[in-house]
Amino acid sequence: GAVVSQHPSRVICKSGTSVKIECRSLDFQATTMFWYRQFPKKSLMLMATSNEGSKATYEQGVEKDKFLINHASLTLSTLTVTSAHPEDSSFYICSARDRNSNQPQHFGDGTRLSIL
Amino acid sequence: GNSVTQMEGPVTLSEEAFLTINCTYTATGYPSLFWYVQYPGEGLQLLLKATKADDKGSNKGFEATYRKETTSFHLEKGSVQVSDSAVYFCALSGEHAGGTSYGKLTFGQGTILTVHP
């Protein structure tokens, strides 16, 4: 079945570091990918919609310069948390929609980001 | 805008008990409705879905019926197992499905389910 791979699964780094998270669709092409953030024991908050070959669409209140999204191919989207600070620590989850299928989004397993 | 409200947890049950997790929504048009499950440290897995009124989604003994008149999509299971312990999210997609692809999801706050032997 369709699989979305997210990497890394966990990252711990110092404050001020930039961190890149990858989201890959392994066996399908995704013109649209979504990035979510999940706080402990909370729901998922959509951060942005990543569109292949064009700029991402950010949700209200999400800083574009803080969370850089690149969707350069039909199978890869990246989220870069720039100059990360402890308040950026969270669980980030991506999802992807198969352009050739009438099925809902497939989710990655998430990335646990911890900023010290 | 669209919103989803789930019953607050956590929910703690004994094995083989009956489960209900309430979910109501607010949306314009004809949303598609979903239940997702998240096991500890993992991403979300689609549990079941319904794309139009009166549709019943079902999977692994879970089921939910799309009730447009009450704007609800309650999740039920007749006999839960320890392996069902997870966080359950109700969600909606605001685009009209009708055979086309799905849009961005709006999630409820999630309900933690713990099942004891």
Side-chain angles (χ1 to χ4, degrees), chain A residues 89-108:
Chain A
S89 298
S90 194
F91 193 56
Y92 294 87
I93 304 176
C94 74
S95 69
R97 201 167 68 191
D98 185 345
R99 65 183 296 195
N100 296 316
S101 172
N102 180 29
Q103 292 299 319
Q105 304 163 31
H106 303 282
F107 283 81

Side-chain angles (χ1 to χ4, degrees), chain A residues 25-61:
Chain A
S25 55
L26 297 186
D27 57 0
F28 64 96
Q29 293 182 328
T31 50
T32 305
M33 292 185 175
F34 303 89
W35 287 96
Y36 296 86
R37 181 173 180 177
Q38 185 179 28
F39 294 96
K41 299 184 179 182
K42 297 289 185 182
S43 187
L44 281 75
M45 179 192 76
L46 178 66
M47 299 174 65
T49 303
S50 172
N51 302 297
E52 188 268 337
S54 64
K55 292 183 178 180
T57 303
Y58 289 82
E59 296 300 302
Q60 191 173 10

